[in-house]
Structures are given as C-alpha cells and as structure tokens.
Amino acid sequence: MEYLEHWGLNTRPFENNRDMNFFYPGCEHIEALERLLYLVRDGNMCFGLLTGEIGSGKTMVLHQLCEKLQSERYLVVHLPNGNIEFSDILREAIHHMENHTGARRRKKYAEASKYELMTRFTEILEDKVTRLGKIMVMVIDEAQSLSEEDLIELKNLTNLGTMTDNSITIILSGQPEISEMVRSLPQINQRVGLRYHLPCLSMEGTSEYLDYRMESAGGDAVEIFGIDVKQEIYKQTEGIPREINRLCKLALDRSFSLGQKKVSVATIRNIAIDIHHQDALA
C-alpha cells in the first residue's frame, strides 16, 4: 500500500513549500494579513513591519498578501531575500516592472551605476505607477539582513510620488531584530505606519493547524493524531509552524514504514530526539 493510500490523503500535508492551499487561516495569521492589507490600501503609510520568529509563517502571509494585491491598482514587487544591496534591490524592482525574465533579466542593467538605476526606476515608476494612479508595493522578506544604509536608501524611495499621494509602500518582514534596527533609526521609525509581530501558535492553535493541514490534504487529523499526540507535538515544537511540519512529516513517514494507522506519542518523542541531535551536529 502506498503512503497516500495508507493515510487516506490526496497529497502530502506537511511539506515546507509555499502552496497557498495550505495557508493556515488562524487568527494571528489572518490578523497579520488584514493589517498589511489595510496598510497598502491606505496608500500613505510608507512602511509596514511584520516580524516573527524563524518558521512562524511570515512568508506564507506575504505570499497570500501578494496574491490578493494582484489587481489593476497595485504593482507588487516581492523580494524574497533582503541580503542584497540597495542597487540590487533597484535592479530586481526594475526587472520586475519591465517584465524581463531568464538570461535577459540577469544581464540587463548588470553594469549600471546606482545613479543610472535610480534614474531608470524613477522613470518607470512615473510611467507605470504614478501616472496611472497606481501604488507600487515593495515586499522585502528576510529584511533583518538589510544594512542601515540600505534602509535609509529605501526610506528615500517613499519620498517619490505626487504632492498628495505616495507612489510606494514598503513592507519589511523579518526576525525580531529588524524591529530593533528600525527603532534605532528615527528617520525610518517615524515612517512605519503599521507593525505586527506574528506569534507562535498556542496549544489550541497547534491542534487547529494540524487539523487544517490534514483536511487540506484530504485526510482526517482526528483519526491519526490523538489529543495526547497533539500535546506532545506542541511541547516539542513550541507552536512554530515550520517545526510542526518538520516533525509531523517525519512522524507520518516513520509510522507508515511501521504499518501503523496512527501516530503515537513515542514516535513523536523519538523523532524529536533525532531532530535535536542532528541539529546539534549541524
């Protein structure tokens, strides 16, 4: 019997990918999404700040946000890694705005100076955003990797626009240290119109998360994860979605290999020990 048939699933429920079918609509994640949507729709709040611990689900929230903003009014530029310099941010934004792909995308503007990039960026912004009454939304993930100098350069972008409206809203998302960095820069801090810290899941949230992932994959969590198992999962993962995925994926694999129809507390504990051991060696 194959894995999916064994568990009564249509697909694997705990893969660490960005499949929006598995976006968990828990109250904290929905709150984060709604606040960011409010920020963008207001149009004059300059910066938004989304923070959370590693694996808390920030990236899934951002992808859901970008999907909802794909409309005529918004031009969305999503940069998945903040570990690049300001000139590279401009290059990526320009490439996206000009719809270049593949090798052509990599080569175009490769040798351009910061001045040339800024000039071109401003031209496209005026032509494709401001003139048409749109708003550009720049979403930067892993923003804790940005330097203070790059944050200040990004702040200057929010000066672009008309006398009455901004043309750019920038959303910074990252680990909690980005919040401290922003607070240390008054010229940035004063322009942050909205902040939200995405907490880890509670025990109740962890149980609902497990149910949702299993149901989204076509299965039934109640038949596979008992309440005692859910409590152990919460204890071992501290409610961090990425860690829940990691632990449960391995638990289902091991239980399947043993021919078991349910995941046991012992299996969760043994796998958690293995994970902690491997992490310590890494």
Side-chain angles (χ1 to χ4, degrees):
M1 182 181 293
E2 295 185 354
Y3 176 93
L4 295 180
E5 183 182 356
H6 178 85
W7 294 119
L9 298 170
N10 298 323
T11 187
R12 290 178 176 266
F14 296 108
E15 300 301 300
N16 271 318
N17 54 37
R18 296 166 186 168
D19 185 346
M20 287 298 102
N21 291 321
F22 287 99
F23 174 71
Y24 168 61
C27 57
E28 293 89 356
H29 291 77
I30 292 298
E31 177 75 10
L33 178 60
E34 291 297 329
R35 290 194 184 206
L36 292 176
L37 285 169
Y38 170 75
L39 168 85
V40 171
R41 288 166 179 164
D42 178 88
N44 278 304
M45 297 178 75
C46 296
F47 277 95
L49 189 60
L50 175 65
T51 59
E53 299 297 338
I54 297 172
S56 59
K58 301 183 298 298
T59 298
M60 289 290 278
V61 170
L62 294 180
H63 278 275
Q64 189 76 357
L65 172 71
C66 292
E67 187 173 283
K68 286 183 176 294
L69 292 178
Q70 295 300 335
S71 68
E72 292 185 1
R73 187 173 181 225
Y74 302 106
L75 192 158
V76 182
V77 175
H78 185 189
L79 305 178
N81 189 351
N83 191 24
I84 55 177
E85 297 180 352
F86 179 69
S87 291
D88 294 320
I89 292 174
L90 287 178
R91 286 189 184 90
E92 287 299 312
I94 292 169
H95 292 325
H96 183 93
M97 294 158 78
E98 292 187 338
N99 297 315
H100 290 300
T101 58
R104 186 182 177 192
R105 174 175 178 168
R106 290 192 296 271
K107 291 177 181 178
K108 195 170 180 65
Y109 303 113
E111 302 301 324
S113 67
K114 185 189 293 185
Y115 174 79
E116 292 170 328
L117 290 168
M118 193 65 205
T119 299
R120 182 58 182 147
F121 178 86
T122 305
E123 290 174 350
I124 304 175
L125 187 72
E126 170 61 29
D127 183 53
K128 293 193 173 185
V129 179
T130 307
R131 184 175 60 83
L132 301 177
K134 294 183 178 182
I135 295 175
M136 178 179 179
V137 182
M138 185 178 291
V139 179
I140 304 178
D141 210 347
E142 301 297 341
Q144 74 279 351
S145 300
L146 291 167
S147 68
E148 292 185 0
E149 293 76 12
D150 291 333
L151 281 172
I152 293 170
E153 296 269 26
L154 284 169
K155 181 266 296 183
N156 293 334
L157 292 183
T158 65
N159 293 329
L160 301 174
T162 67
M163 292 293 291
T164 57
D165 296 294
N166 292 334
S167 292
I168 302 177
T169 298
I170 298 174
I171 296 173
L172 303 174
S173 175
Q175 296 167 35
E177 49 262 42
I178 181 60
S179 184
E180 296 303 315
M181 186 187 301
V182 167
R183 286 196 178 93
S184 72
L185 298 168
Q187 66 271 49
I188 309 292
N189 195 49
Q190 292 171 8
R191 297 201 182 196
V192 177
L194 183 146
R195 307 164 200 261
Y196 187 75
H197 181 79
L198 188 61
C200 298
L201 300 175
S202 63
M203 172 57 217
E204 181 181 2
T206 298
S207 177
E208 292 176 354
Y209 180 83
L210 288 165
D211 292 346
Y212 184 81
R213 298 286 298 209
M214 289 295 290
E215 289 170 7
S216 297
D220 186 347
V222 175
E223 295 181 357
I224 299 171
F225 297 98
I227 185 60
D228 55 338
V229 174
K230 289 180 174 180
Q231 289 172 342
E232 188 65 26
I233 290 170
Y234 174 69
K235 176 183 176 182
Q236 296 294 342
T237 64
E238 299 181 335
I240 300 173
R242 187 180 298 161
E243 291 301 316
I244 295 172
N245 291 349
R246 184 184 184 189
L247 181 59
C248 290
K249 174 183 170 68
L250 294 173
L252 287 178
D253 286 347
R254 182 171 297 182
S255 299
F256 167 68
S257 69
L258 296 174
Q260 298 171 348
K261 284 292 188 177
K262 289 187 175 183
V263 174
S264 68
V265 171
T267 296
I268 295 296
R269 287 176 180 167
N270 290 334
I271 290 175
I273 291 171
D274 289 344
I275 288 174
H276 295 324
H277 178 67
Q278 293 302 320
D279 287 349
L281 295 176

